[in-house]
Amino acid sequence: MASTVHSTSERRNELIEQEKKVKERMGKIRHKVAVISGKGGVGKSTVTVNLAMAFAMHGHANSVGILDADIHGPSVPKMLGIAGQRLQVGPPGAFPASGPLGIKVVSMDFLLPDENSPVIWRGPLKMTAIRQFLSDIVWGDLDVLLIDLPPGTGDEPLSIAQLLPEMDGVVIVTIPSEVSQAVVRKSAFFARQLGMPIIGIVENMSGFVCPKCGFKVDIFQSGGGRKMAEELGIPFLGSVPIDQTVCQDSDKGAPFIVEHADSPASKSFMEIAGKVEEFLKNNERMKKMEVK
Amino acid sequence: MASTVHSTSERRNELIEQEKKVKERMGKIRHKVAVISGKGGVGKSTVTVNLAMAFAMHGHANSVGILDADIHGPSVPKMLGIAGQRLQVGPPGAFPASGPLGIKVVSMDFLLPDENSPVIWRGPLKMTAIRQFLSDIVWGDLDVLLIDLPPGTGDEPLSIAQLLPEMDGVVIVTIPSEVSQAVVRKSAFFARQLGMPIIGIVENMSGFVCPKCGFKVDIFQSGGGRKMAEELGIPFLGSVPIDQTVCQDSDKGAPFIVEHADSPASKSFMEIAGKVEEFLKNNERMKKMEVK
């Protein structure tokens, strides 16, 4: 019995210690933004990676981080061309891997023996991993940390919401279809219930233009993102058209806003990134006014 | 202290009782097939719903069930046009909702106050819900129960694997892109580690043909599903081309193999359904031989 009590109090002290570390490490990061969607496969990781690149290209080189919080299906490293890297460990903790333009990345991918290994974990273990990603990683001073969350409104997004109450806000990604909207709408309510500000909605895979004849086909319908934003009274950040080069670039490990900077998808994306940055600046201004 | 011990043993008895009920209810169902993918948004629910329709149309009317095990993002009811229904409760338990051709459906969607409510649950609660879906629902005698699992290799697929050791097998769905393959491959290893037979791989969203000029564009690349199947030594069940009517039909709540029976997507899908049925028949034959 005594030993149980002892280990419980030890565990409690550990958690308090870890919480302190989370505060310390996260205190050095000016902005934290989570990318969520409720539904999988709508382009959360694509949005995260290209948002990071957009920031890094415009005045924040070496000052952007990505936490790939998708424990079961990490794809950020592959999209940045750094899959299979390992985290380097030193006395202060583990260091993030380094991607293009000095983007700092932490992902479950870097901890797996090989790319095929599934992570067969239940919720509590995932919470522990995410806590460690925030407390034990030497992120250093960053302007922005983007957090790529897995689909759903379960363990991973809940953990992030609880561990980072100071989060600037969330970007919600959807595809235009009604089936997707129905699920993604839940994540807007999720964010509200947990008090996370919503930066806005991005509509991905919106309409397709035949590269040969120019005919426009709404493969997954279109306009659903804007409609949802209006219904919920949330800013609409923009829509990104379907473009086969986006997928090709992701597979190659080269973000499309760099590889195909002149495409309509890239131009639309840069506007979205601009709106997110605007939100963060306003947020900072308001926080400073509150302090005064 | 005494009360704690009491409630623990009570809880244990409850679990034993529930396990008995799972065995009893599930014993009346000839075949159980799970549809998994590891990655979200690749078309698991579309495959599940159309597979159910294919079976119901070919000799199994009123004998097919779907368990929508995606607690956070249930979309089966919307795709079958029965969103917002409620489960009817009687003395023997709760009855599944009834879809087209008498398909019996159980989904978190039927238990939510409205379609926008997010289910903010951690893993253990999800396990409890899934266990109840198997033990407390009056499924009755069925030829096939299809289980639509959420993305990832966490709580929900683990619970199903543990609760249904007699599962016939899993159908794995992927889109052709390398990023998707990398994640979906994990679910093949997941199934193997947990001893669930793999029926085969379906490649969804494979290639797009412009409806105006006939030009073929591989939006999400193509051939990735077959490549993965060959690499892993798993049967390749077929590929379903991208077709905007598939999405429109899902949004309308009408499975595309009925609404657009003559499209290439439907024809390809019917072949896939045939292969799954073939697998189930062989499985049954082998089981009978084992018994003898």
Side-chain angles (χ1 to χ4, degrees), chain B residues 56-262:
Chain B
M57 283 158 67
H58 292 95
H60 307 286
N62 302 311
S63 301
V64 178
I66 299 180
L67 168 57
D68 182 358
D70 193 338
I71 306 287
H72 299 300
S75 46
V76 167
K78 187 163 173 59
M79 289 183 178
L80 283 174
I82 53 171
Q85 281 206 21
R86 290 277 163 264
L87 299 181
Q88 304 299 320
V89 181
F95 292 86
S98 187
L101 297 176
I103 294 175
K104 298 193 162 101
V105 185
V106 169
S107 168
M108 202 61 206
D109 178 74
F110 302 144
L111 303 170
L112 296 176
D114 65 82
E115 59 160 4
N116 295 331
S117 303
V119 179
I120 309 178
W121 284 1
R122 290 189 177 274
L125 222 56
K126 291 190 264 186
M127 169 92 178
T128 306
I130 289 176
R131 200 188 282 121
Q132 286 182 0
F133 285 161
L134 298 175
S135 66
D136 297 354
I137 300 284
V138 190
W139 290 99
D141 295 300
L142 293 181
D143 290 343
V144 195
L145 176 67
L146 296 168
I147 302 162
D148 183 16
L149 281 167
T153 50
D155 294 86
E156 299 91 328
L158 251 179
S159 304
I160 287 291
Q162 291 170 349
L163 289 164
L164 293 177
E166 78 276 24
M167 172 111 64
D168 287 77
V170 298
V171 170
I172 299 177
V173 186
T174 188
I175 62 171
S177 79
E178 282 180 31
V179 167
S180 168
Q181 280 178 65
V183 176
V184 175
R185 209 175 275 126
K186 290 177 196 283
S187 47
F189 284 85
F190 170 83
R192 279 189 181 157
Q193 282 189 31
L194 295 173
M196 294 191 288
I198 298 174
I199 302 178
I201 291 178
V202 174
E203 176 176 292
N204 192 27
M205 305 191 200
S206 168
F208 176 73
V209 177
C210 175
K212 188 156 179 216
C213 72
F215 186 63
K216 192 176 178 237
V217 191
D218 287 334
I219 297 181
F220 300 112
Q221 316 275 29
S222 82
R226 185 183 289 277
K227 201 180 120 219
M228 203 173 113
E230 280 167 8
E231 267 173 33
L232 300 173
I234 293 170
F236 180 63
L237 299 175
S239 53
V240 183
I242 301 185
D243 181 342
Q244 71 277 19
T245 60
V246 169
C247 175
Q248 284 160 12
D249 292 342
S250 290
D251 278 359
K252 270 198 308 197
F256 74 90
I257 59 161
V258 181
E259 285 293 294
H260 292 88
D262 286 331

Side-chain angles (χ1 to χ4, degrees), chain A residues 45-46 73-76 78-80 246-253, chain B residues 39 174-185 221:
Chain A
S45 302
T46 306
S75 46
V76 167
K78 188 162 172 60
M79 289 184 179
L80 283 175
V246 169
C247 175
Q248 284 160 12
D249 292 341
S250 290
D251 277 1
K252 271 198 308 193
Chain B
K39 189 160 166 52
T174 188
I175 62 171
S177 79
E178 282 180 31
V179 167
S180 168
Q181 280 178 65
V183 176
V184 175
R185 209 175 275 126
Q221 316 275 29

Side-chain angles (χ1 to χ4, degrees), chain A residues 143-218:
Chain A
D143 290 343
V144 194
L145 177 66
L146 296 167
I147 302 161
D148 183 16
L149 282 167
T153 49
D155 294 86
E156 299 90 327
L158 251 179
S159 303
I160 287 290
Q162 290 169 348
L163 289 164
L164 293 178
E166 78 277 26
M167 173 111 65
D168 287 76
V170 298
V171 170
I172 298 177
V173 185
T174 188
I175 62 170
S177 79
E178 281 179 32
V179 168
S180 168
Q181 280 179 63
V183 176
V184 174
R185 208 175 276 128
K186 290 178 195 282
S187 46
F189 284 86
F190 171 82
R192 279 188 182 158
Q193 282 189 30
L194 295 173
M196 295 191 288
I198 298 174
I199 302 178
I201 292 178
V202 174
E203 177 177 292
N204 193 26
M205 304 191 202
S206 167
F208 176 72
V209 177
C210 174
K212 189 156 178 217
C213 72
F215 186 63
K216 191 177 178 235
V217 191
D218 286 335

